[in-house]
Structures are given as C-alpha cells and as structure tokens.
Amino acid sequence: MSSHEHGLPPKSSISRWFLTTNHKDVGILYIVTALFFLVFGGVLALLFRIELWEPGAQVLSELSYNQSVSAHGLLMVFWFISPFAFGFANYVVPLQMGAEDLAFPRLNALSYWLYLFSGLLFGVSFFQGSTFAGGWTMYAPLNVPAYIPDGALGATTAVLALVMFVASVTVSSVNFLTTMYRMRAEGLRMRDLPIFSVSILLTVWMMLFAFAALLAALMILSADHIIGTKYFVYQITQSGAVTRTVGNEAASLLWAHLFWFFGHPEVYIVFFPALGVMAETFQTFAGRRLVGRKWFILSMVLVALQSFMVWMHHMFLTNINLTIKTVFMATTIGISLPFDLMMFSLIYTLIKGKVRFKTPFLFTLGSVILFIVGGITGVFLGAVVLDYQFRGTYWVVAHFHYVMVGGATALFGGLYYWYPKMTGKMYDEFLGKVNFAMYFVGFNLLYFPMFVAWETPRRVFEYEAGLTVWHQIATIGGLLLGASFLVMFYNLFVSLWRGADAGDTPWEYATSAEWAVSSPPPMDNFPGLPSYRDGSLSFLSESAVAARLRGDGTASTDGGDPTADGGVATGTALDTATETHLETEDVEHADHASIWPFAVGLGAFLTMLGLSGVQQGTIVGTEYAALLGVGGVVTFGSLVAMTREPFHAPEAALAERFPYADVEKLKLGMWVFLASDVVLFGAFIGSHAFIRVAHGWREWHNLIPAEHVTMPGLINTYLLLTSSFLVVLAMVAAKKGSRRGTVLSLVGTLALGIGFLVNKALEWQHLFHVHSEAFPQGWDLSTNVASSTFYLTTGLHGAHVAVGLVICAYMTIRAWNGAYQGDPDAIEYFGLYWHFVDIVWLFLFPLFYIL
Amino acid sequence: MFYVNKLRDICYRNDFYLSLLLTKDMAGSWLGAHIDGVLLHAGDVRAPADVFGDIYQVFLILGTLVGVVVIAYTLYNSYKYRAQDGAAPESVDRPSLGELPTSGGGGRKLFLSFSISAIIVLSLIGWTYTTLLYVENEPAQHEDRMDVDVVGHRFSWEFVYPNGHSATGTLRVPKNELVQLHLTSNDVFHNFGVPELRVKADAIPGQTTTAWFVGKETGEYAAHCYELCGSGHSYMDATVVVMERDAYREWYNTTSGGNETEAVKP
Ligand code: HEM
Ligand SMILES: [Cu+2]
Ligand SMILES: [Cu+2]
C-alpha cells in the first residue's frame, strides 16, 4: 500500500493532509471543512432562532442580529453547500469517469486551500469590529463603507473572503472541465457519464460563468471599499442630510443585476449536485435504471442554459417595466417545468423496484419530498402579482430553505452513501435512521411554520405578536435539526473504528465504477486501465494496453463499436497515447506531494487580510501594511516555487477525449479560463454602459475633464497590437529552434508591454492632478462615477497586462536558458492569454476614449 | 371543507370569470368605461388586496392538492415496491455493476405526467398574468387618483403630499381613493410595504418606483420596511391611516399648501 502513496506520508500523519494533491484526499478535506462551516453557520442560525423566540431584541443587539443573519446566509450558501457537494465531486467523479486524478492535481489542492483560507478569513472578519451585516444578498449601497457604522474593516474582509472563495471556484471549474472533457475511460462518451458526474459537469459550467459575474461584482465592491471608487452609491447622507452626490443613479440596480445574474444560476449550482445524488441513489436503492435518463439530462442542460435568463425575477419590485417583467415571468415558469420532468422521472424509477430504505435512500427520498414542496411554493413566487407581496417576507425564506436545504438533504444522503467507499467501514444503520427521523421532523418543524407565518418581514426580530407561536415551533424545530447532526457526527466518527468492513460495494445494484474498486480505493484508483470499449467496465492490464496501442486492439472482434458516434477517433487517441504511453510506467515513481498549494493559500490569506486594512485609499495601521507585504512575498514566492517544482500529472494512455482530442490539456484549461475572463470583462463593460445609460449618455461628458484625451489610448493600442505580433514571432522562432529569435521577440513583447503601462501611468498621473474649473481637486478614482468606471475598468485590464508581463519575463529567462526550442506550446498558451488581453483593449479603447 | 367553501366563494365572483376569460385590455376597457360613467370614487375598483386574495386562494388550494397527490404517490410507490424478504424470483432486469448507464422504461408515463403538470402551471400563470396587466395599468385609468411621494430614510418613512406637505411616520389617505405611491430613498435600498393593503415596492436611491392601493375600510394599517437597511431596520415602521373622505379633506386643508414643509411626528 504505502509504496503506492507516491511520496505522500500515510493518512495518519498530519503532514500528509498539507502535502496531498490526490483527488480523494482533497475530497475528504472538502467534506470535513464544509461540515465545519455548516456547524459555524448553524450555530449562528440557532442564535437568531433563539432571538426570534419572542418579538423584539432580547438576546442579540440589533447589529449582532444583522451580522448573524448575514454571516449565516453567506456561510451556508458559499462555504457549506457547494464545497460539500464538491467534496463528493472530487472524490467520486474521477472514479466514475475512470481517471486516476484530476487534470491538474496541484491546482485542485490549491482550490481547496483557497477555499479553506477564504473561510478562515471570513471568520477573522468577526474580530475586526463587526463582520458584514447587510444580508447575504449584499444590496447596495448598504454594502459600501459610507453606510457601514464604525469603520468597514470587517465588512471589507468579508468581501475579500468572497473574492478568494470565487478564485477557488474558478480554479476548480477550469480543472473539472478540463478533466471531464479529456480524461474519460476509453469508450465512455460524455453522454455515458454516470448521472452524478453529469450533474457535476453541468454545475461546473454554470459555476464558470456565474461566478465570473460575481467576481466582477465583488471586485468592484472591494474597489469601492479599498480604493474608494463610487460604483455602488448614489449619494451619501449623514443624519438625513445629503453630504455628497456622485451622479450614479444606477448604483443600487447595478448591484442587484450583477448579484442576481450570478444568484439565480447559483441556486442551480447548489441544487444540481443534489439532483445527481438523488438520481444515483434512487437507481441503486430501487434497483432500477433512471426512467427517461436522456430526458432527465436534457432537462438539466436546458435548466443550466436558461438559468442565466431568469435573474430579474428577484427584482420584480424595482422599477423594471412591464415588458421585462413579462419576459422574466415567462422564463421563470419555463425553467420550473424541466424540474417537473426530473421529479417524475425519479418517482417512476421506483416502480417495479426493490426499494431498500437504507439511510442514504431515506435522505434522498426526503429530499425529493422537500423539493416538491419548495418547487410548488416557488411557482407561487413566479406569479408576479403574488411575488409582489411575498417579496421580503418569510415566504421567500421558507421557499428557498425547502429547495436549498432540501437539496442539502440529498447531499447528506450522499455522505451516507459514499461513506463506506471513503472509509472502508459501514456506518451504523440504526443511528442513521434515528438521524434521518430527527432531521426530517426537525426540518419541517423549522421551515413549514414559516409558510404559515409568512407575513413576517424577512431579517427582522420584530414581528406581530400573533405569529409568536409559529416562530417558537420553528425555533424548536431548529434545535431538533441541530441535534440530528450530533447523531450524524457521532455515528460517522465512531464507525471509523467500530464499523463493519464495507467491502467493495455494500450496495446491491450500484453500477458506477467507484463501486468496482476496493474501499477506500488505492492511490491509483484502478487495478488496471479502465475501459468501456466492450460495453461494460473492464480493467486492462499493461500488456493489454500496450497491445492495443500497437494496433492489435482495433482488430479485436467486439462487433459493436461503442464509439460509433465519432466520440472517439481511435486514431487520435492513439496519437496522443504514443507520446505519453510510457507514463503508465512512470506513474509508480510520480511524486504527488506538494506543499506549494497550501503556501499559496496561506499567502493569499495574509495578503487579503492586509488589504482589508486599506480603506478608501489609506492604510489604517502598520500591522496591515506588514501583513500585506509578507502576504505578497509568500504568495508570489510560492507561485514561483510551484511552477519550478517538478510535478507530473500523468495522462492515461487510452482515454476518451472527444471533442478535445487535439487540444492539449493546458491549452484546454487556458481556453476555459479565458471563457470565464470574458464574462468578467463583460460584466465590467456592461456595468459601465449601464451606469452611463442611467446617468444620460450625453450628460456623461460633463463628468469627464477636457484633459482626458484620446492620444494616450491610441498610442497604447498600437503598443499592444505590436506586442501581440511579437508573441507570434516568438512562437515561430521557437518552432524553428532559433533561441536568439525567441529571446528577442519575447524581450520585445516585454518592452512594449512595459511601455503600455508606463504610458498609462503618465496619463493617470496627469488626470489625477488636473486643475480645471469643473475639477478643482483633480480627477481621481473617487471624483465621480465616470472616473470610477474609467480607472477601474482600464485598471483591471492593466492588471491583466502586468500579470502577462510577469509571465513573459519568466519565459524570457527560460528562453535565454534554452527552453521552448522545437516545443513552443508554452509560448502558444501565453500567446492565447496575451491576444485575449489585446482584444479586450480593442473594446475598452473606443468605450473610454472615443464614445 | 374550508377550501371548498373558499373555492366556491371565489368562483361566484364575476370578476374571477372575467379575469379568466378576458384579456386585460378588454377587462381594462370594460372597467374603465364603468368608472368614467358611474363612479365618483374608487370604492368599486378591484384593489390589489382583492386581486392578491383571490389568486392566493386558488394557488393554495391547487398547490396543496398537487403537493399532496404527488408526495402521496411517491410514498406509495416506495412502499409498494419495497424489497421483501423471500419474495418470489422476478423477471425484472436489474442494473449491474460496471454497465454503461441507460434509461429505464416508462417514458410515456413520464411525458404524460409532465404534460399535465405543465398545463396546470402554465394555465395558472397565464391567468395571473391577466391580473398583472390589470395591476400594472389600472392607475393610469384614474385621473382623479391621489399621488403621494414616499421617501425612505434610515430609519423612517417620509410622505410628501401633492401640496408639498411632508409628514414622517404617518400617511393619511381618504377612504375609497386610488392612492398611487411614488417611492424613492434618501440613503440606502428600502422596501415599503403595507401587508393588509397588499401594497409593496422597493424604495431605491436614485430611482422612482410606483405602487398603488385603495383603502376601503377606515382604520390604521401598519407599514414595514422589507429590505434590510441597517441596525434600525426591524423598527422601520409607519402607519397608514384611512380616513372618511370628509374628515380627510378637513385635515388636508389644515396642512400648509404650497411648498412649505412641516414634519408631523405620530
Ligand atoms: C420550481 C422552480 C422555482 C421557482 C419557480 C422559483 C422562483 C423563485 C422566485 C420568483 C424567487 C424570488 C422571490 C423574491 O425574492 O421575490 C425565488 C427566490 C429564491 N429561490 Fe427559487 N424558485 C424555484 C426553485 C428554486 C431552487 C431549485 C432553488 C435552490 C436550490 C431556489 C432558491 C431560491 C433562493 C435562494 C431564493 C431567495 C433569494 C433571496 O432573496 O435571498 N429556488 N425563487
Ligand atoms: Cu432566482
Ligand atoms: Cu429596512
């Protein structure tokens, strides 16, 4: 066993968990951490449920109440539910699809550490005066410092924690997508993925785009906090009197749009993995195949696409017009229909089944029931006239807990379902059932009364005395629900020692590949190379793989070709394979340990904490400056160390790679990342346009000094275009093996890029210090909303240029030492990024200099 | 029994059928003509409170029905097909480890139930859409309506009457008058709502939203803030006083007209 641990210490050793990059270890880390945040958020919830025992503030002060509800929402939605699901995704998806690990194991570990540290950072915010208290939806302008009492440090930290969390999600999305498109077992087409993996695939697609929009919102919000831009505030008032106007009529609506453009897909992001677990366990515990599997998947695809077109149903009470309301009502109702189909599909799967009421199934069956209630009450909200009244009340609270916590219920089922696989031990079935009974009763006692007492406004502790009894029932239910987790934790913990051996699979009729290997699976997951070529799972020995690579395999007599849809061009699979087939042997020696992901996470944590001490452009204390410095050095140093560390993530000799067989995995990863970056810039540009339209397209010019001229922008356009051209030259030179040409071209790129930044710095410097009648104090970041959008959007682009230059400098040094000759791939990937940055500028230039 | 009675009540009302059968334009012009010709006040107008009440009842009844049926059917199936010890050997084809996933049968049933659910949902929403059109367009039909500006402050509500009179904490309106609110905020995002009158709208800094209601019974109605706005959010209430029309007129005449502003604390 230990000889297969690839340089990792044994699991009993603490250091293993800091070094590991293995997907199964990372999965367990995710699960345990997510449960920790569940407890954290849960305790806060119990706190305010106790506060709600009677109307009025007895236990918590007003501001602590607001802090608790806000932190509870943020913790549960961000730090608990999705990461919990991604614990399973990490553990199970590679097994289900026949991969040895994710495409980028160290990035996977990095995702985890960014996640953990972002959560810890959020925890720290409680100790900086007060944490963010404006609700998990963070509506503007309550989310900007002007409206946060006693300094906004804690709130800033909370926002930065979210930024870090989004970074984790983005890295993880890129990783999963690359993995799932390129590393499936031979013969496993995309459509053949087990249903849980399908649900994760679609979740990840939604995450990639939705979180990019959230990232834009959060970056802008942090800028409002840290450098004092004015995106999210219309005017600043102090004790009723307006002390400052900014000219930003769109401020509040902009936040609502950005947030809900993310927020609605987010509800499916948290729910899809739960759907996957439901379908998976219904099949197993009913001993039936999913009814209408194809339609089930199609429904999910439709929902995933449409989820980006319903966000304004959260804004029915703003001043959006009737036409828009109509459209969004229609899309909202439209998106609820595929769920009907999915629910019926689950229900019909039970028919002719051999249903066994084991704990996992109890939880997922319960989850289906809760979701039905949640879905029906969601249709109420989709009826706009009803929504007008439900908005801001406990109806919404009850609805989304039925759907979201209903979804989490399925995930708890998943925990029991995969526990034997992860630990090799069986949990105690009786305690499991007790757990479920307490959970289900507690849940309904907690949330159902909220429908009855729906007239209670959301996020208040004052409510009508007549509703008291319902709130008291809810509080009791909350305590029961909380207690059910004690049973769960006890059961799962004690079973680690006392549990019976689980064997490969304790579940009759389970079909997916994770059940075909030992529990827990060995480091390399499979006893041979998994293949579905013959229509069902088999493990190929090394000699069989070698034979197939030589071409013998294609001549085998298995009449039915499972790849008939063109899913696999066997030829291409072989091409790739010949380059890498030796790696099946190297695997034994590969070192899967790396401390750098942890170090990067730690560095980012320190940096972000330091950054929170910068308020409106001034740093509040030397300790923050120190944190910022140390954090920056640690982050950068670890990133460099990580790049330099020899680390080899093997690719299987035979794998299904449709449709990306010809796209190397790094390149695919880069594409996926750039796709999310497009959304990020799209959101920035969209925000600018939205603000400008709201202000008046022409009147906008009054906010800009005459000194803001086109020339610097035009020069920069030429600089960037030329530099893009030079990257292409560098690539050509490297292909030809001309070291001199490569280095020269890269140096040229570097010089032009630096020129771009210097030119920009001069331009900004000039604008900061203009002295005109209209702008006696200069035109800086916080002068007005036009200056804010200008500096921030072009600044984000400038930051992209700067990052590109760091990479370019690194590559120049390597090229000088002879790298890339005859092997220009790395330059090509850098080029992709650089061209992209270039193209973005082609949009920014007219927008900010000409129009 | 309760629900049956309610359903009957609703169905006996003409406007229920009206809204089912007519598109809003037809309904609107019908109501409009009615108003122009006969009414002097808005006491007969179908206020948002009435609209909400009807729709909510229908949704509750149907929602409960659908929920109970579907959940009962789910439980029934899981129980009926439970694994039994010593059951006779069966001919059902069960999934096996390592197979490629495929569909179980039963597609037709799936589509049938899906279609039924889709029809229920779509017809319900279609119906409520006519009422949405009504709610959105009605105030424009009433030139004699009363317009009031509502401004959210942390943590109080300010009401500005047509004559410029401004009062904090209390909004007085005459009975049976269509009151159109124009809401905005002086600082952060608020939401003004009077649950009993079924009127609610966001109060957004830099923007104006509208909402309307008709107070058909005199009395005091509590208003709350429905969007978290800071430490005093829980206490950010106001009162809407619906007065007899004469009493209201008398009171209104005592307020200073023109642009003079006087704050009235409740
Ligand atoms: C059957 C389909 C569904 C429909 C028709 C529906 C409809 C709606 C509508 C219209 C709102 C806005 C309510 C308001 O603030 O006025 C809402 C809120 C919400 N829904 Fe759903 N929903 C559905 C399913 C789901 C699912 C599957 C989830 C999550 C797993 C979910 C989570 C939420 C959340 C979190 C909110 C509240 C957001 C907030 O204001 O904090 N919903 N839903
Ligand atoms: Cu939504
Ligand atoms: Cu409020």
Side-chain angles (χ1 to χ4, degrees):
Chain A
M1 191 70 198
S2 57
S3 66
H4 286 274
E5 300 282 298
H6 300 304
L8 282 175
K11 282 183 190 160
S12 54
S13 147
I14 296 281
S15 65
R16 154 114 173 193
W17 300 100
F18 288 92
L19 290 170
T20 187
T21 64
N22 181 269
H23 73 98
K24 297 185 289 297
D25 292 349
V26 174
I28 287 173
L29 286 172
Y30 261 105
I31 290 171
V32 172
T33 311
L35 288 173
F36 166 76
F37 286 115
L38 170 72
V39 173
F40 188 171
V43 168
L44 289 172
L46 288 180
L47 250 164
F48 62 75
R49 269 319 323 170
I50 289 169
E51 171 62 69
L52 286 166
W53 187 257
E54 282 173 357
Q58 295 92 13
V59 186
L60 297 168
S61 74
E62 285 120 32
L63 212 57
S64 336
Y65 184 86
N66 292 353
Q67 285 182 62
S68 322
V69 285
S70 311
H72 162 76
L74 290 167
L75 282 167
M76 291 305 201
V77 171
F78 292 103
W79 280 283
F80 162 59
I81 192 162
S82 277
F84 190 48
F86 269 76
F88 300 125
N90 260 287
Y91 202 102
V92 176
V93 167
L95 285 164
Q96 287 198 337
M97 56 183 273
E100 203 173 282
D101 206 322
L102 288 177
F104 310 107
R106 284 184 308 172
L107 288 188
N108 194 30
L110 177 62
S111 293
Y112 169 72
W113 292 112
L114 287 174
Y115 157 57
L116 174 72
F117 279 115
S118 69
L120 295 180
L121 189 62
F122 186 79
V124 170
S125 71
F126 281 85
F127 301 98
Q128 293 173 297
S130 77
T131 185
F132 188 82
W136 84 275
T137 47
M138 309 175 90
Y139 267 26
L142 189 59
N143 57 4
V144 301
Y147 290 109
I148 299 174
D150 312 327
L153 260 76
T156 309
T157 304
V159 174
L160 290 172
L162 279 165
V163 170
M164 221 171 133
F165 179 83
V166 176
S168 152
V169 169
T170 307
V171 173
S172 178
S173 310
V174 171
N175 208 346
F176 268 89
L177 286 172
T178 311
T179 308
M180 297 188 80
Y181 280 104
R182 279 194 46 95
M183 297 171 68
R184 280 160 289 136
E186 185 193 21
L188 196 68
R189 298 167 303 179
M190 283 312 271
R191 68 173 80 158
D192 295 328
L193 285 171
I195 195 79
F196 177 70
S197 292
V198 174
S199 75
I200 294 298
L201 175 72
L202 292 167
T203 305
V204 174
W205 270 118
M206 286 189 286
M207 274 166 47
L208 186 74
F209 297 120
F211 274 90
L214 179 66
L215 183 59
L218 291 170
M219 286 172 81
I220 296 174
L221 182 57
S222 346
D224 272 14
H225 279 241
I226 295 170
I227 50 179
T229 51
K230 296 280 176 281
Y231 268 78
F232 290 131
V233 59
Y234 167 62
Q235 61 187 18
I236 298 173
T237 37
Q238 254 156 18
S239 36
V242 179
T243 58
R244 169 112 200 252
T245 50
V246 184
N248 187 2
E249 291 79 359
S252 294
L253 289 180
L254 174 65
W255 175 267
H257 281 295
L258 287 174
F259 184 84
W260 289 117
F261 184 78
F262 148 79
H264 196 88
E266 168 69 1
V267 307
Y268 300 120
I269 288 170
V270 304
F271 194 69
F272 267 31
L275 263 179
V277 176
M278 288 179 199
E280 203 76 67
T281 50
F282 266 56
Q283 297 189 101
T284 299
F285 290 99
R288 298 286 290 159
R289 297 183 185 88
L290 188 62
V291 167
R293 183 186 135 94
K294 192 163 58 179
W295 302 109
F296 193 97
I297 295 177
L298 189 72
S299 298
M300 289 212 277
V301 173
L302 279 179
V303 169
L305 290 172
Q306 205 175 327
S307 69
F308 291 93
M309 291 176 270
V310 297
W311 80 94
M312 277 196 237
H313 68 213
H314 296 273
M315 301 169 66
F316 281 147
L317 281 185
T318 64
N319 49 348
I320 54 177
N321 66 34
L322 181 59
T323 318
I324 296 181
K325 281 180 188 165
T326 306
V327 169
F328 279 85
M329 181 187 87
T331 55
T332 300
I333 293 309
I335 206 170
S336 78
L337 297 179
F339 281 103
D340 296 2
L341 188 137
M342 288 188 257
M343 287 302 125
F344 284 122
S345 157
L346 288 174
I347 296 169
Y348 290 140
T349 300
L350 298 172
I351 290 179
K352 298 220 184 94
K354 261 170 87 172
V355 179
R356 284 140 297 143
F357 290 93
K358 298 277 194 238
T359 308
F361 180 71
L362 285 174
F363 270 95
T364 48
L365 180 65
S367 170
V368 167
I369 291 169
L370 299 178
F371 183 72
I372 291 170
V373 178
I376 290 174
T377 54
V379 173
F380 281 56
L381 293 172
V384 184
V385 204
L386 294 185
D387 181 76
Y388 282 172
Q389 298 312 315
F390 288 138
R391 166 116 194 116
T393 69
Y394 264 66
W395 186 279
V396 175
V397 178
H399 155 71
F400 74 68
H401 283 93
Y402 264 88
V403 277
M404 283 224 192
V405 190
T409 307
L411 297 178
F412 294 127
L415 184 59
Y416 278 106
Y417 184 57
W418 282 302
Y419 178 85
K421 178 54 56 189
M422 296 173 175
T423 62
K425 302 286 185 183
M426 258 337 254
Y427 60 84
D428 183 279
E429 188 62 46
F430 174 73
L431 282 181
K433 290 198 164 114
V434 171
N435 177 194
F436 172 72
M438 289 169 70
Y439 180 99
F440 198 72
V441 173
F443 182 108
N444 286 293
L445 279 182
L446 172 54
Y447 297 120
F448 203 83
M450 294 185 189
F451 284 124
V452 185
W454 73 266
E455 297 269 19
T456 318
R458 200 174 158 189
R459 296 164 175 165
V460 302
F461 42 79
E462 276 292 357
Y463 54 85
E464 267 174 58
L467 301 172
T468 309
V469 58
W470 300 111
H471 283 287
Q472 294 189 342
I473 297 176
T475 301
I476 292 169
L479 292 168
L480 183 57
L481 184 66
S484 78
F485 284 99
L486 298 180
V487 179
M488 179 190 294
F489 297 151
Y490 173 81
N491 188 359
L492 299 184
F493 191 68
V494 168
S495 301
L496 285 179
W497 289 277
R498 289 209 217 126
D501 269 340
D504 287 3
T505 172
W507 313 127
E508 203 181 350
Y509 308 129
T511 60
S512 44
E514 76 267 31
W515 304 110
V517 294
S518 61
S519 309
M523 197 69 171
D524 306 329
N525 286 349
F526 306 105
L529 194 66
S531 166
Y532 286 88
R533 215 173 99 125
D534 306 325
S536 68
L537 178 65
S538 59
F539 296 113
L540 306 178
S541 65
E542 255 173 61
S543 54
V545 175
R548 194 161 289 178
L549 288 173
R550 279 196 307 275
D552 309 2
T554 36
S556 72
T557 50
D558 52 33
D561 181 0
T563 62
D565 71 332
V568 152
T570 319
T572 6
L574 290 179
D575 284 349
T576 332
T578 29
E579 291 169 20
T580 45
H581 80 278
L582 277 181
E583 267 129 38
T584 25
E585 288 137 50
D586 281 357
V587 160
E588 298 301 318
H589 315 290
D591 184 351
H592 281 195
S594 172
I595 192 65
W596 301 116
F598 167 79
V600 175
L602 179 66
F605 172 82
L606 298 175
T607 313
M608 291 298 194
L609 195 56
L611 212 50
S612 76
V614 189
Q615 294 284 326
Q616 311 285 307
T618 40
I619 197 149
V620 298
T622 44
E623 68 274 28
Y624 285 103
L627 278 168
L628 203 53
V630 174
V633 171
V634 173
T635 313
F636 186 72
S638 326
L639 277 173
V640 172
M642 193 159 138
T643 338
R644 299 189 54 85
E645 175 183 55
F647 187 93
H648 186 63
E651 285 201 80
L654 288 166
E656 213 62 32
R657 303 201 162 100
F658 181 79
Y660 297 111
D662 295 331
V663 187
E664 207 273 327
K665 74 175 181 184
L666 260 175
K667 188 171 184 178
L668 183 58
M670 180 60 91
W671 278 4
V672 174
F673 168 72
L674 289 182
S676 86
D677 225 22
V678 168
V679 175
L680 179 73
F681 273 110
F684 267 83
I685 292 172
S687 301
H688 165 80
F690 186 70
I691 292 174
R692 180 163 176 181
V693 168
H695 183 80
W697 193 263
R698 295 261 120 232
E699 290 74 18
W700 189 253
H701 290 294
N702 303 335
L703 301 176
I704 300 171
E707 285 80 356
H708 180 57
V709 289
T710 317
M711 202 37 130
L714 192 63
I715 295 175
N716 268 349
T717 309
Y718 289 128
L719 290 179
L720 267 196
L721 283 177
T722 323
S723 74
S724 253
F725 180 65
L726 283 183
V727 177
V728 178
L729 286 188
M731 202 173 84
V732 174
K735 203 177 270 168
K736 283 206 214 115
S738 150
R739 188 178 75 121
R740 195 163 151 263
T742 317
V743 173
L744 273 181
S745 310
L746 285 176
V747 168
T749 310
L750 206 56
L752 289 171
I754 292 171
F756 176 92
L757 289 181
V758 169
N759 183 21
K760 183 176 282 291
L762 292 176
E763 177 202 15
W764 285 19
Q765 196 58 23
H766 179 63
L767 290 172
F768 284 161
H769 299 112
V770 293
H771 274 294
S772 58
E773 208 178 315
F775 301 97
Q777 314 287 339
W779 198 65
D780 59 28
L781 286 150
S782 39
T783 304
N784 58 36
V785 65
S787 71
S788 292
T789 57
F790 169 72
Y791 288 117
L792 199 63
T793 314
T794 57
L796 176 71
H797 175 265
H800 273 71
V801 172
V803 170
L805 289 180
V806 172
I807 300 172
C808 187
Y810 178 77
M811 295 182 78
T812 312
I813 298 171
R814 290 208 52 203
W816 178 264
N817 293 329
Y820 313 124
Q821 301 312 314
D823 177 21
D825 285 357
I827 300 183
E828 187 190 345
Y829 307 151
F830 166 69
L832 276 178
Y833 174 82
W834 195 252
H835 301 324
F836 167 76
V837 172
D838 203 352
I839 291 169
V840 169
W841 181 256
L842 293 183
F843 283 92
L844 297 189
F845 173 58
L847 211 56
F848 287 100
Y849 288 89
I850 298 176
L851 290 175
Chain B
M1 207 49 215
F2 165 78
Y3 282 143
V4 177
N5 283 334
K6 273 293 179 197
L7 193 59
R8 208 184 46 211
D9 285 356
I10 292 166
C11 293
Y12 281 164
R13 299 185 46 168
N14 287 331
D15 50 359
F16 175 73
Y17 293 108
L18 192 71
S19 48
L20 266 181
L21 298 175
L22 301 180
T23 69
K24 150 66 197 149
D25 285 334
M26 295 159 73
S29 55
W30 181 83
L31 279 169
H34 196 49
I35 288 153
D36 290 345
V38 189
L39 284 181
L40 288 174
H41 59 69
D44 285 354
V45 168
R46 208 164 154 240
D50 307 321
V51 174
F52 177 86
D54 293 353
I55 302 181
Y56 183 50
Q57 295 292 349
V58 174
F59 268 64
L60 260 192
I61 295 165
L62 279 176
T64 313
L65 206 70
V66 171
V68 168
V69 168
V70 177
I71 290 174
Y73 183 66
T74 311
L75 293 176
Y76 164 79
N77 272 335
S78 54
Y79 182 74
K80 177 170 177 206
Y81 297 104
R82 70 194 180 282
Q84 278 159 312
D85 293 336
E90 26 157 40
S91 57
V92 182
D93 171 30
R94 304 235 173 256
S96 61
L97 185 58
E99 70 177 25
L100 279 174
T102 49
S103 279
R108 183 171 305 166
K109 201 160 22 176
L110 185 59
F111 275 94
L112 187 67
S113 21
F114 169 66
S115 311
I116 295 175
S117 76
I119 289 170
I120 295 179
V121 171
L122 291 178
S123 53
L124 270 179
I125 295 297
W127 166 51
T128 64
Y129 184 61
T130 62
T131 61
L132 173 66
L133 293 174
Y134 169 72
V135 170
E136 294 282 305
N137 294 329
E138 189 59 12
Q141 318 277 341
H142 295 258
E143 273 169 17
D144 57 345
R145 66 174 183 264
M146 168 178 169
D147 287 277
V148 183
D149 291 341
V150 181
V151 186
H153 298 269
R154 305 214 294 173
F155 300 95
S156 62
W157 293 104
E158 179 192 0
F159 304 98
V160 184
Y161 295 79
N163 67 0
H165 175 70
S166 148
T168 298
T170 308
L171 169 64
R172 293 172 189 277
V173 299
K175 182 175 153 181
N176 289 335
E177 180 107 349
L178 193 154
V179 183
Q180 168 93 313
L181 304 176
H182 303 263
L183 301 100
T184 189
S185 164
N186 188 43
D187 38 50
V188 303
F189 205 124
H190 302 274
N191 178 301
F192 179 79
V194 191
E196 275 177 279
L197 297 171
R198 298 288 174 228
V199 57
K200 192 184 280 173
D202 289 333
I204 310 171
Q207 303 280 334
T208 308
T209 56
T210 55
W212 64 280
F213 66 94
V214 181
K216 295 187 178 177
E217 309 276 343
T218 57
E220 300 199 348
Y221 300 86
H224 307 290
C225 177
Y226 286 86
E227 186 61 59
L228 185 58
C229 55
S231 59
H233 169 61
S234 288
Y235 307 119
M236 188 171 160
D237 300 331
T239 314
V240 176
V241 184
V242 178
M243 307 167 75
E244 289 295 350
R245 300 174 74 83
D246 292 343
Y248 174 80
R249 206 159 296 145
E250 220 166 276
W251 169 80
Y252 191 61
N253 287 335
T254 68
T255 64
S256 29
N259 295 322
E260 215 174 302
T261 302
E262 162 217 351
V264 179
K265 287 271 177 220

